[in-house]
Amino acid sequence: MRRVKQVEQPEALSTGLAEMLRALRRPRELWSTIRDYVGMGRSRRRQPIVDRDGLKQFLETRASHVAQTSLYGYVRTRAGMRYPELFHDDGFIGSINVAKWQMWLACLSDLAVFAGGLLTRDRPEVAARAGAIVHAAVSQILAETGTPSDAGPAFPDTARAVLARIEACDWTTVSDDGEAFVESPPALVRWAPIVDELKQVDEPIVLNSVRFRWQEIRRNLRDLLDPAAVLRDAEAATAEPGDSLARPSTAG
């Protein structure tokens, strides 16, 4: 029997999830809805990343994309025909909202480290500047997000752990492959609202599925990122007072 966990104090159904629930009754529109929900619609053209704003947007949207598609894809696969019914269960809604935000933080952490490695690749002398750029971008993303009401009590601590990982990172050792993506695969196993005995059976497949989802994102970032331009943008901003990305803030 396929089962999902219950929570004692479910959160309210978010607007985005409500839209997804309505789309479940129109299967042809489901994937389009998911793309819109996570900011990955086809109408959006991929632009070269030449400044810190572009890097921040890439980190935020792609982390959301991998988090949402990994989580909902896994739950839908496990639930099968019962998947639409789950969205009528308040306990499930509370659990999946918490999982959604935890998965997003893990994805943001992994992608940010990978991006910092690309900024530093073959140029160890810029490691400190690259780290500051990534830290500032992630800090702003977290500050703008705040602590969502449906994210659960662990969200602030996990957000601080994301920043701590970035602060401690040795950017010169980040490789141009999947080694930076160490948080998001186990986060899906930990937080997905599936009973533990089933997740134990699924774990190898789930871990590999998340790693696979990052392959295209990594290729895109390699193709789009202009490290020299982003570093120049950061240098130009250091003398500009009030620049938000030049002054990282701590979420909490």
Side-chain angles (χ1 to χ4, degrees):
M1 179 180 296
R2 291 162 175 158
R3 294 166 289 173
V4 295
K5 287 182 176 178
Q6 304 293 313
V7 293
E8 295 180 357
Q9 295 180 337
E11 303 288 351
L13 177 61
S14 68
T15 300
L17 284 173
E19 293 174 355
M20 289 184 66
L21 175 58
R22 289 194 292 271
L24 287 172
R25 300 172 183 173
R26 304 185 299 276
R28 293 181 180 179
E29 299 179 21
L30 176 59
W31 180 235
S32 176
T33 300
I34 292 176
R35 284 200 310 269
D36 292 341
Y37 183 37
V38 301
M40 294 290 289
R42 289 183 180 177
S43 60
R44 176 170 298 176
R45 296 181 59 188
R46 293 190 301 170
Q47 300 292 336
I49 300 172
V50 297
D51 56 25
R52 295 161 305 141
D53 286 335
L55 178 62
K56 170 181 170 291
Q57 183 182 35
F58 188 95
L59 295 178
E60 187 170 12
T61 59
R62 272 48 168 197
S64 294
H65 172 68
V66 174
Q68 301 279 352
T69 56
S70 297
L71 176 61
Y72 289 108
Y74 176 34
V75 173
R76 188 179 188 185
T77 298
R78 253 306 174 190
M81 296 297 293
R82 290 190 55 224
Y83 184 64
E85 300 173 12
L86 297 177
F87 288 88
H88 294 286
D89 186 296
D90 289 340
F92 172 77
I93 294 300
S95 293
I96 204 165
N97 279 335
V98 170
K100 171 188 67 180
W101 287 111
Q102 287 291 332
M103 189 63 186
W104 175 71
L105 287 172
C107 289
L108 181 62
S109 175
D110 285 347
L111 186 56
V113 170
F114 180 73
L118 290 184
L119 288 172
T120 312
R121 185 173 54 180
D122 302 325
R123 297 185 63 188
E125 71 277 6
V126 304
R129 289 159 53 200
I133 291 169
V134 172
H135 188 281
V138 173
S139 293
Q140 185 171 352
I141 291 170
L142 294 176
E144 291 173 355
T145 303
T147 301
S149 61
D150 57 355
F155 183 91
D157 286 342
T158 307
R160 283 189 286 269
V162 172
L163 291 176
R165 181 188 179 192
I166 293 171
E167 291 165 0
C169 186
D170 181 354
W171 302 104
T172 62
T173 66
V174 179
S175 57
D176 185 17
D177 54 24
E179 290 188 6
F181 296 86
V182 297
E183 296 292 336
S184 51
L188 180 56
V189 175
R190 177 182 179 186
W191 293 101
I194 308 293
V195 293
D196 290 340
E197 55 264 36
L198 293 179
K199 288 196 287 189
Q200 290 173 2
V201 174
D202 297 339
E203 184 171 2
I205 297 174
V206 172
L207 294 176
N208 285 331
S209 72
V210 179
R211 296 185 187 112
F212 177 79
R213 290 180 187 275
W214 284 118
Q215 291 182 8
E216 183 178 2
I217 306 297
R218 297 202 312 268
R219 285 194 298 268
N220 289 342
L221 187 54
R222 289 191 203 99
D223 293 342
L224 297 174
L225 182 64
D226 185 337
V230 174
L231 289 164
R232 285 195 301 268
D233 175 66
E235 281 186 353
T238 55
E240 298 177 11
D243 186 276
S244 59
L245 280 178
R247 297 183 177 183
S249 60
T250 302

